[in-house]
């Protein structure tokens, strides 16, 4: 389950038009969400609220083996026209996005012109840069985390994150990332004060346009015709390549890796798949991953790691199943007419006592343009993962029960005498 | 007086494997640095041909079945030991384990781990230190180092061709060994010496039998013996349990609270906490103020004696008998005063 910080970050990036899939660090995001999902440890309760579109707060309580921890965090975004959205409210939840299902990659679009961000009043420019501030205080341990994101232009932003804790050497650490993200190319420069690490990451998308295509001459005179409406065939697949290089000045450590990704989208044409290949030439580590969304309710992923120097290999398999309780009834209702559906689902929810079910049809005005299938609200998801290097099966159940998001996870060992290694429960509520 | 060493003591068949397994457990007990990713296994152990030299500094106790003394131990022999483990070769992997998680740049593949096997041979061990050696026929023998005995050690490993790594390994191994000498060696020698004591022999025999039975049940998986912690009383049974100087200081401290004197005797390396009677377990039963009732019930529930249930505490009680003529204080202050007086009387009787 994603933390509330990741949820607010996703909402901020969506509101400011920043494509997170273009980062090199998210090259294997689809397979990583299906294979490396984290299990909650102990009992975690998270209550968050978004009182206005610009500020949010969240509190966490953790109980792990008798030790009780807590944390409170605050978010603030400026300027006021950037509205953070709280997708966790029970009326408008898209669980597929929030519970880390198969991550649907979207074709990287060119960034908006910076002219659209200017605000003028009385001949003077009064706009301010889009920024997000975040602070989290862990209460018994006195650790303070903070983050600042500032977007100078629609394609450049800086992210500064810092942590202050007396257990860390020098009392804390700071990391700054300067990111440039246009449709075709995304690069990041990283500096971390812990061991003075310098890093550079870059990703290039082949056959993706950074600028909107220009209309051929002669057609431009026809009013009402724009370039986007001429693109009847939106791009279905694209190929990305990237690399990263790091150098630690204080501990003389260096590392480099390269990665390739081929992603297809749109389930109307075929199943969306993502294939990635990463290579660390210095350590000789190769990794190939394949993730596919077989239907609207199942996804599969597999990954094979191999080390050319030590001949260590590892195969990981992951599977995800969405449980959709009322899918059949609501498909018939939807075909009738769009406005009638909300009434119907409202009646159904009164009839049921256990789980209120809502349906949010994603019908836009230009219904034919959307390449996404109509998203259905799924009630719960089962995730399972097995690997050859560990003799245990990781199970996770996440779902929504009465406006609470539940996440129950267990690590069950296949040896007869070992039993369940870890078990955890996490509750999340957001107002 | 001179010592005759039967060196190396290879009289038992099971001696070297037992020492090897004890040493392996001791090396893997603490937290390992992130560069070592696997258990440290002792592959080869040889005590050499030259025994250590003992010089008597002080003999504390000498009898037919007991012996205690302070010695100066020097060792310049040719014992050697071979260790085997796996180390992490990617420095960025170690970095990503050590850096705080919030400021961790999300490495994609640059921090993948590469494990390299490492074999180290420790030889030319030079020891020199002051040691308290205690031997008792009933309890066995053990020795405790007063200071850090390791003078120098020569490590040769598979990474000798890379001097930077060789130096790093040398320093890490020296630290682990110093820790081993201070903390684990007394317990190991005590455990090994059990075979020469009458009780110990029986214990060793039953241990061997039960471990053999367990091995047969588990289908041959070896179970290494757990090393029992050794208390100072076992090492040096003739020292009194309570130090006389400390008792005098404590008495002075207790008496200082009876007067309004501003001078409080100080006890070095100790924290003085007042109202200790509140946490005294034997006299808790008489305390009937709310905080100690709650603490007692919580302790009982935690230890499993009582199940969690609703308890009604009647705060209105009959007045207890006034042991000391005092103005009317509240209930808990009275109970505190009574407990303090009882404690003081107990201390006086113990002193006399």
């Amino acid at each position: 389950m994603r933390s509330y910080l990741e949820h607010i970050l996703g909402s901020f990036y969506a509101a400011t038009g920043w494509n997170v899939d273009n980062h090199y660090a998210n090259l294997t995001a689809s397979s990583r969400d299906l294979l490396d999902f984290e299990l909650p440890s102990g009992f975690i309760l998270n209550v968050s609220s978004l009182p206005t579109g610009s500020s949010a707060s969240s509190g966490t309580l953790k109980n792990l083996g008798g030790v009780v921890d807590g944390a409170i965090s605050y978010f603030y975004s400026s300027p006021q026209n950037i509205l953070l959205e709280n997708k966790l409210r029970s009326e408008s939840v898209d669980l597929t996005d929030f519970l880390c299902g198969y991550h649907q990659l979207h074709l990287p679009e060119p960034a908006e012109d910076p002219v659209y961000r200017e605000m003028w009043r009385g001949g003077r420019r009064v706009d301010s840069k889009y920024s997000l501030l975040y602070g989290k205080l862990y209460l018994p341990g006195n650790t303070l985390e903070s983050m600042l994101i500032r977007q100078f232009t629609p394609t450049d932003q800086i992210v500064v994150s810092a942590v202050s804790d007396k257990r860390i050497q020098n009392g804390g650490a700071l990391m700054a990332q300067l990111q440039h993200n246009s449709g075709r190319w995304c690069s990041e420069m990283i500096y971390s004060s812990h061991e003075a690490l310098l890093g550079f990451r870059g990703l290039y998308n082949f056959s993706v346009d950074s600028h909107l295509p220009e209309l051929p001459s002669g057609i431009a005179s026809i009013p009402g015709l724009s370039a986007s409406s001429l693109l009847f065939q939106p791009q279905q697949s694209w190929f990305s390549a990237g690399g990263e290089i790091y150098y630690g000045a204080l501990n003389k450590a260096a590392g480099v890796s390269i990665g390739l990704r081929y992603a297809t989208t749109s389930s109307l044409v075929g199943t969306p798949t993502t294939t990635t290949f990463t290579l660390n030439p210095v350590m000789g580590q190769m990794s190939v991953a394949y993730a596919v969304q077989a239907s609207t309710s199942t996804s599969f992923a597999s990954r094979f790691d191999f080390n050319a120097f030590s001949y260590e290999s590892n195969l990981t398999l992951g599977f995800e199943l969405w449980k959709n309780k009322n899918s059949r009834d609501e498909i018939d209702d939807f075909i009738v007419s769009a406005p009638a559906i909300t009434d119907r689902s409202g009646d159904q929810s009164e009839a049921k006592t256990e789980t209120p079910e809502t349906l949010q049809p994603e019908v836009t005005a230009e219904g034919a343009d959307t390449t996404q299938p109509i998203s259905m609200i799924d009630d719960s998801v089962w995730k399972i993962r097995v690997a050859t290097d560990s003799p245990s099966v990781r199970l996770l159940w996440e779902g929504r029960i009465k406006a609470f998001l539940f996440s129950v996870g267990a690590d069950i060992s296949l040896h007869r005498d070992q039993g369940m290694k870890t078990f955890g429960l996490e509750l999340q509520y957001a107002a | 007086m001179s010592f005759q060493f039967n060196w190396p003591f290879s009289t038992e068949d099971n001696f070297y494997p037992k020492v090897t397994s004890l040493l392996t457990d001791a090396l893997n007990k603490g937290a390992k640095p992130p560069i070592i990713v696997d258990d440290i296994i002792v592959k080869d152990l040889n005590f050499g041909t030259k025994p250590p030299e003992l010089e008597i500094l002080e003999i504390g106790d000498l009898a037919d079945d007991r012996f205690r003394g302070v010695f100066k131990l020097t060792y310049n022999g040719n014992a050697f030991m071979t260790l085997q483990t796996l180390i992490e070769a990617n420095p960025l992997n170690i970095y990503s384990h050590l850096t705080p998680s919030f400021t961790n740049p999300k490495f994609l593949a640059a921090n993948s781990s590469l494990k390299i096997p490492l074999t180290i041979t420790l030889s030319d061990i030079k020891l020199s230190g002051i040691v308290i050696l205690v031997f008792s026929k009933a309890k066995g023998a053990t020795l405790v180092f007063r200071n850090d005995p390791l003078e120098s050690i020569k490590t040769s490993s598979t990474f000798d061709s890379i001097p930077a790594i060789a130096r790093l390994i040398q320093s890490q191994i020296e630290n682990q060994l110093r820790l081993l000498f201070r903390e684990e060696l007394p317990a190991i020698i005590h455990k090994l010496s059990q075979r020469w004591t009458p009780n110990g022999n029986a214990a060793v025999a039953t241990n061997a039998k039960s471990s053999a039975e367990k091995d047969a049940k588990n289908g041959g998986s070896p179970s290494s013996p757990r090393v029992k912690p050794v208390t100072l009383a076992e090492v040096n049974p003739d020292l009194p349990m309570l130090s006389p100087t400390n008792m005098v200081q404590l008495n002075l401290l207790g008496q200082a609270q009876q007067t309004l004197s501003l001078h409080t005797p100080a006890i070095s390396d100790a924290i003085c906490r007042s109202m200790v009677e509140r946490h005294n377990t034997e006299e808790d039963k008489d305390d009937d103020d709310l905080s100690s009732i709650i603490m007692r019930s919580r302790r009982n529930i935690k230890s499993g004696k009582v199940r969690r249930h609703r308890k009604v505490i009647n705060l209105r009680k009959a007045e207890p008998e006034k042991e000391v003529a005092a103005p009317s204080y509240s209930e808990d202050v009275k109970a505190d005063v009574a407990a303090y007086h009882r404690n003081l009387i107990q201390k006086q009787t113990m002193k006399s």
Side-chain angles (χ1 to χ4, degrees):
Chain A
M1 184 180 275
R2 282 200 211 150
S3 65
Y4 197 64
L5 166 67
E6 288 167 17
H7 180 64
I8 293 288
L9 277 180
S11 167
F12 176 75
Y13 287 139
T16 55
W18 186 268
N19 189 353
V20 196
D21 297 332
N22 247 2
H23 289 178
Y24 181 73
N26 296 334
L27 193 80
T28 54
S30 309
S31 52
R32 209 171 45 211
D33 289 340
L34 287 170
L35 295 172
D36 293 334
F37 50 87
E38 275 182 17
L39 299 175
S41 53
F43 173 70
I44 304 170
L45 174 69
N46 190 341
V47 177
S48 341
S49 88
L50 190 88
T52 75
S54 315
S55 65
S57 57
S58 165
T60 313
L61 203 62
K62 257 194 239 195
N63 185 352
L64 178 60
V67 176
V68 177
D69 282 333
I72 46 172
S73 50
Y74 288 97
F75 302 82
Y76 175 70
S77 80
S78 94
Q80 305 299 322
N81 57 339
I82 294 300
L83 290 179
L84 301 173
E85 240 187 295
N86 189 4
K87 294 236 176 99
L88 290 173
R89 288 209 189 95
S90 44
E91 310 95 52
S92 59
V93 179
D94 189 3
L95 282 177
T96 53
D97 197 26
F98 190 73
L99 293 185
C100 305
Y102 171 80
H103 185 70
Q104 279 273 18
L105 293 165
H106 300 287
L107 184 71
E109 282 165 4
E112 63 174 346
D113 205 324
V115 168
Y116 294 116
R117 290 206 182 168
E118 291 177 15
M119 277 190 346
W120 295 84
R121 186 188 301 158
R124 270 202 307 246
R125 212 172 136 170
V126 295
D127 61 306
S128 57
K129 309 275 184 291
Y130 295 173
S131 55
L132 179 79
L133 286 148
Y134 163 73
K136 183 168 187 179
L137 179 65
Y138 292 87
L139 283 167
N142 279 339
T143 307
L144 182 66
E145 290 176 357
S146 62
M147 181 153 69
L148 161 73
I149 304 178
R150 198 167 172 84
Q151 275 192 11
F152 306 114
T153 71
T155 53
D156 295 294
Q157 86 178 4
I158 184 164
V159 178
V160 179
S161 43
V163 63
S164 157
D165 189 355
K166 59 176 184 284
R167 288 169 295 185
I168 306 174
Q169 69 182 48
N170 300 331
L174 180 125
M175 177 172 75
Q177 295 173 304
L178 188 61
Q179 298 169 338
H180 173 86
N181 190 356
S182 64
R184 183 177 279 207
W185 166 252
C186 174
S187 67
E188 287 170 67
M189 285 194 281
I190 303 161
Y191 168 74
S192 169
S193 73
H194 188 246
E195 310 280 355
L197 183 85
L198 292 159
F200 176 75
R201 293 203 275 242
L203 184 84
Y204 185 75
N205 296 308
F206 292 93
S207 65
V208 164
D209 293 326
S210 271
H211 311 284
L212 283 173
E214 287 178 4
L215 297 172
S217 58
I219 305 182
S221 55
I222 303 175
L225 194 65
S226 68
S228 56
S229 61
L230 282 179
L231 298 168
F232 300 112
Q233 286 286 334
Q235 204 158 344
Q236 309 290 347
S237 64
W238 69 99
F239 183 75
S240 323
E244 61 184 356
I245 182 163
Y246 296 95
Y247 176 67
L250 289 183
N251 62 349
K252 307 285 184 300
V256 68
S257 83
I258 53 182
L260 306 168
R261 170 177 70 191
Y262 179 70
T264 67
T265 181
S266 168
S267 54
L268 290 176
V269 180
T271 50
T273 64
T274 308
T275 316
T276 58
F277 170 74
T278 60
L279 167 73
N280 187 334
V282 179
M283 296 295 141
Q285 174 88 7
M286 286 183 275
S287 166
V288 181
Y290 178 68
V292 59
Q293 183 170 27
S295 68
T296 50
S297 55
T298 54
S299 311
F300 292 86
S302 64
R303 180 175 65 207
F304 181 66
D305 307 305
F306 179 70
N307 194 317
F309 295 149
S310 69
Y311 291 155
E312 270 179 41
S313 63
N314 180 24
L315 176 69
T316 317
L317 300 169
F319 169 62
E320 184 178 84
L321 176 69
W322 289 81
K323 283 264 184 179
N324 199 349
K325 287 207 174 139
N326 306 315
S327 60
R328 239 168 252 235
D329 299 331
E330 270 144 14
I331 287 177
D332 298 330
D333 291 342
F334 188 77
I335 293 172
V336 172
S337 65
I341 283 176
T342 44
D343 299 339
R344 195 64 97 93
S345 64
D347 289 342
Q348 278 176 347
S349 68
E350 280 160 38
K352 283 186 195 22
T353 49
E354 317 164 11
T355 51
E357 197 59 39
T358 60
L359 176 67
Q360 183 192 12
E362 230 178 76
V363 179
T364 58
E366 315 93 6
D369 270 2
T370 59
T371 56
Q372 297 279 342
I374 312 290
S375 75
M376 306 233 253
I377 307 302
D378 299 301
D379 211 20
S380 61
V381 61
W382 282 96
K383 291 188 196 181
I384 184 168
R385 172 228 195 226
V386 292
T388 53
D389 66 347
S390 82
S392 62
V393 175
R394 255 197 243 176
L395 270 178
L396 184 70
W397 180 87
E398 291 180 324
R400 181 170 51 91
I401 300 175
K402 288 214 189 295
F404 275 90
L405 280 167
F406 275 77
S407 169
V408 181
D411 197 357
I412 302 172
S413 166
L414 292 173
H415 287 327
R416 243 183 311 141
D417 43 352
Q418 270 184 31
M420 203 179 295
K421 280 204 276 192
T422 57
F423 179 77
L425 167 69
E426 179 173 353
L427 263 95
Q428 212 169 39
Y429 176 74
Chain B
M1 188 160 141
S2 65
F3 291 95
Q4 184 195 5
F5 275 104
N6 194 3
W7 192 271
F9 22 96
S10 51
T11 49
E12 312 270 337
D13 334 312
N14 217 16
F15 185 68
Y16 269 114
K18 193 163 159 74
V19 177
T20 310
S21 70
L22 279 176
L23 213 56
T24 307
D25 281 345
L27 280 170
N28 293 324
K29 220 200 254 193
K32 292 193 282 275
I35 194 170
I36 298 178
V37 287
D38 195 21
D39 290 336
I40 306 174
I41 305 171
V42 178
K43 232 172 53 167
D44 193 12
L45 182 62
N46 190 324
F47 281 115
T49 50
K50 227 177 103 182
E53 285 160 13
L54 285 175
E55 185 187 311
I56 303 174
L57 293 181
E58 178 191 325
I59 296 255
D61 191 11
L62 190 59
D64 239 355
D65 59 345
R66 265 200 328 271
F67 171 71
R68 189 178 74 81
V70 180
F71 299 89
K72 184 161 160 27
L73 173 87
T74 49
Y75 182 73
N76 281 327
N78 53 352
F80 67 88
M81 184 161 71
T82 308
L83 303 171
Q84 188 182 349
T85 182
L86 284 173
I87 62 165
E88 175 60 60
N90 191 354
L92 280 186
N93 193 337
I94 302 170
Y95 177 85
S96 61
H97 285 304
L98 293 176
T99 191
S101 61
F102 193 65
T103 57
N104 191 358
K106 308 231 170 30
F107 300 103
L108 187 72
N111 66 340
S112 44
S113 84
L114 175 65
K115 302 193 178 90
I116 301 184
L118 171 76
T119 309
I120 307 179
T121 305
L122 309 168
S123 56
D124 291 346
I125 305 176
K126 282 190 180 27
L127 297 176
S128 160
I130 300 185
V131 65
I132 304 176
L133 178 67
V134 176
F135 173 72
S136 110
K137 204 160 185 181
K139 294 197 209 130
T142 189
L143 52 80
V144 178
F145 281 101
R146 276 267 192 89
N147 61 342
D148 188 15
L150 189 64
E151 290 225 320
S152 79
I153 189 168
K154 175 164 149 353
T155 55
S156 94
S157 66
T158 42
F159 281 108
D160 283 344
S161 47
I162 308 170
I165 302 183
R167 261 180 279 131
L168 175 70
I169 292 175
Q170 170 104 6
S171 62
Q172 298 267 12
I173 292 290
E174 267 184 36
N175 286 342
Q176 286 282 90
L177 271 179
R178 274 179 228 274
L179 223 67
L180 186 83
F181 276 123
R182 293 308 291 272
E183 306 195 354
E184 306 292 334
L185 202 65
I188 293 177
I189 295 192
H190 182 73
K191 192 93 189 156
L192 282 175
S193 69
Q194 296 280 14
R195 54 188 67 236
W196 290 299
T197 66
N199 305 339
N201 252 334
V204 164
T206 51
N207 252 352
K209 220 178 9 162
S210 64
S211 67
E213 283 172 4
K214 241 201 302 174
D215 283 355
K217 250 195 273 178
N218 286 350
S221 60
S223 53
S224 51
R226 267 172 49 113
V227 183
K228 209 169 47 121
V230 178
T231 65
L232 203 59
E234 288 178 37
V235 173
N236 212 342
D238 300 311
L239 284 177
M241 275 294 289
L242 308 162
S243 149
T245 42
N246 278 350
M247 291 313 295
V248 166
Q249 286 275 64
L250 280 173
N251 190 28
L252 278 175
L253 190 63
Q255 279 176 350
Q257 290 183 354
Q258 281 180 296
T259 72
L260 286 173
S261 157
L262 290 173
H263 165 72
T264 324
I267 302 180
S268 61
D269 297 332
I271 299 172
C272 173
R273 195 166 80 172
S274 60
M275 309 291 244
V276 178
E277 299 87 33
R278 203 180 269 277
H279 305 277
N280 207 345
T281 43
E282 309 101 55
E283 304 177 78
D284 248 354
K285 313 249 189 299
D286 303 328
D287 277 357
D288 49 12
D289 62 311
L290 194 58
S291 61
S292 47
I293 289 176
I294 292 174
M295 275 200 295
R296 216 183 315 140
S297 66
R298 205 185 287 159
R299 234 181 291 139
N300 281 338
I301 288 172
K302 230 184 191 173
S303 66
K305 287 188 208 154
V306 178
R307 258 188 323 109
R308 191 185 295 276
H309 62 279
R310 189 183 284 270
K311 187 168 184 169
V312 177
I313 300 169
N314 193 3
L315 287 173
R316 264 182 253 281
K317 294 192 228 348
E319 291 257 324
E321 285 286 72
K322 288 204 173 72
E323 297 176 77
V324 177
S328 57
Y329 297 122
S330 58
E331 286 283 343
D332 48 351
V333 176
K334 261 192 245 175
D336 275 341
V337 166
Y340 172 75
H341 279 281
R342 258 181 272 129
N343 204 10
L344 198 61
I345 293 167
Q346 200 184 27
K347 267 200 263 183
Q348 300 278 7
T349 52
M350 200 163 63
K351 180 187 143 197
S352 61

